[in-house]
Amino acid sequence: MSARRTVLTAAGLTAVAALLASGTAAAHDSAAAGNVLTYGSAAGSAVAVGDVLTSALSSGTTVAIRTTAGGSTGITCTASQFTATVTGNPTAPGTATESVTAHTFGSCTSNILGTTGVQGITVDQLPYVASATSAGALTVAAGSTGSVQTTVRLNTILGLTTCVYTSTGLNGTTSNTGNSITFANQLFTKSSGPATCPASSYFSATYAPVKDTSQSGSPSVFVN
């Protein structure tokens, strides 16, 4: 009888241990899964659908809108900011989606031949659709209102000139170092405007940190 009780006790302990191990593994898997977008830290809370994200230029950087990729001729802006609303934030790895509702530029200058300044840059036909993957890729595509389009108003020696540029979409990268988004030499092609308007425009900028302004203290956003 004693031997039988010992066997049953051992079997019970083994079953309990197995259940505990299973529960621990399940809890670990749940914690490790997380969401593509979190705030506060990579292991922080999930960014909620409907939360508003915003970011200005990374400190000490400028927007470069050049007539050639990597060139020095074009427009430079010392102020820029975007705003986007989260529309999807699945479990990582995956792809989070956002609706870009605003993108502004300010304090811009031009060294394009024949120009004397920049009156303004307007991002048209918002909202756009943005997608951020766990691998760090970010894309910005046209929304339901039309193509990705920007209107640039240049002051010239002959007066105000309006240049309209379109893009098939933007490709950028995200980084949890500084919570940044970087665009490099993204091509826009002139769709209307006189000869003063360059035929092509290449957009480069780094925005950081990206913040969740819907949460108290506007914590930084991480991509997982």
Side-chain angles (χ1 to χ4, degrees), residues 57-164:
L57 288 176
S58 178
S59 178
T61 70
T62 60
V63 172
I65 303 173
R66 302 297 187 236
T67 57
T68 58
S72 58
T73 299
I75 295 171
T76 300
C77 302
T78 59
S80 183
Q81 180 173 302
F82 76 82
T83 302
T85 300
V86 176
T87 56
N89 186 22
T91 300
T95 301
T97 54
E98 303 161 18
S99 175
V100 181
T101 56
H103 195 178
T104 61
F105 298 87
S107 301
C108 302
T109 58
S110 170
N111 66 354
I112 299 170
L113 183 64
T115 66
T116 59
V118 181
Q119 193 168 111
I121 298 176
T122 304
V123 177
D124 307 317
Q125 303 183 147
L126 292 165
Y128 300 149
V129 177
S131 300
T133 73
S134 294
L138 177 80
T139 60
V140 179
S144 59
T145 58
S147 61
V148 175
Q149 178 178 294
T150 302
T151 299
V152 180
R153 296 181 301 281
L154 297 171
N155 294 322
T156 76
I157 56 178
L158 299 176
L160 177 64
T161 293
T162 299
C163 314
V164 178

